[in-house]
Amino acid sequence: MADAEATKRLSSKKQTLDDAYAAPANFLEIDICNPQTHGVARQRYSDYEVRMKTNLPVFKLKESEVRRRYSDFEWLRNELERDSKIVVPPLPGKAWKRQLPFRQDEGIFDDEFIEERKKGLEVFINK
């Protein structure tokens, strides 16, 4: 009978709807959204809105929004890798073939490509 005592379920407090849908004790949410393409010809580039929301006391601002280019994410990744011992997730690829001249599509400015890159950046930033 000692085995039955050792394996019996622990009694836990029933979760209420308020508990289930309340804000978590500590959270940090980062979303990448609203990609935009700016400029013309060789001065053309895309950037992404980065939204942050948190209740962590270490942050002065509880919500913030900035626009960042792919190169800003490359800089962040390089900085994280430089002095840390953590494994930094990969960025979505550079898409060199999409940058070749004489393409029949918009290359790196194609809406579908920008959307895929946005998803990849969101995976990178939230790992």
Side-chain angles (χ1 to χ4, degrees):
M1 276 301 172
D3 289 336
E5 186 65 29
T7 58
K8 91 174 188 186
R9 287 184 176 244
L10 296 174
S11 60
S12 62
K13 180 185 157 212
K14 282 233 181 233
Q15 186 178 38
T16 67
L17 284 176
D18 287 340
D19 292 337
Y21 292 101
N26 288 313
F27 70 92
L28 173 63
E29 295 174 4
I30 302 174
D31 295 317
I32 313 279
C33 56
N34 301 328
Q36 292 179 1
T37 299
H38 308 273
V40 292
R42 298 187 64 59
Q43 301 298 315
R44 206 167 173 196
Y45 67 93
S46 296
D47 64 11
Y48 305 84
E49 185 176 327
V50 181
R51 292 181 182 171
M52 185 275 304
K53 210 178 209 182
T54 188
N55 66 353
L56 294 170
V58 72
F59 290 91
K60 260 189 213 177
L61 295 175
K62 299 306 173 193
E63 292 185 33
S64 90
E65 295 175 13
V66 294
R67 295 204 68 82
R68 294 290 182 252
R69 296 172 67 166
Y70 181 84
S71 57
D72 296 316
F73 289 93
E74 286 181 311
W75 174 87
L76 174 62
R77 186 174 196 285
N78 290 335
E79 289 298 305
L80 290 172
E81 276 187 327
R82 189 166 46 125
D83 293 324
S84 74
K85 303 216 181 329
I86 61 170
V87 176
V88 181
L91 283 167
K94 275 294 264 185
W96 295 111
K97 288 182 181 177
R98 285 189 165 271
Q99 296 177 44
L100 295 173
F102 312 115
R103 289 185 59 90
Q104 300 302 316
D105 61 9
E106 289 285 318
I108 61 171
F109 302 108
D110 183 69
D111 289 340
E112 201 172 291
F113 173 75
I114 290 173
E115 185 62 27
E116 284 302 309
R117 180 174 268 181
K118 177 188 81 77
K119 289 176 186 175
L121 292 172
E122 197 158 49
V123 167
F124 164 76
I125 207 76
N126 282 300
K127 280 216 172 181

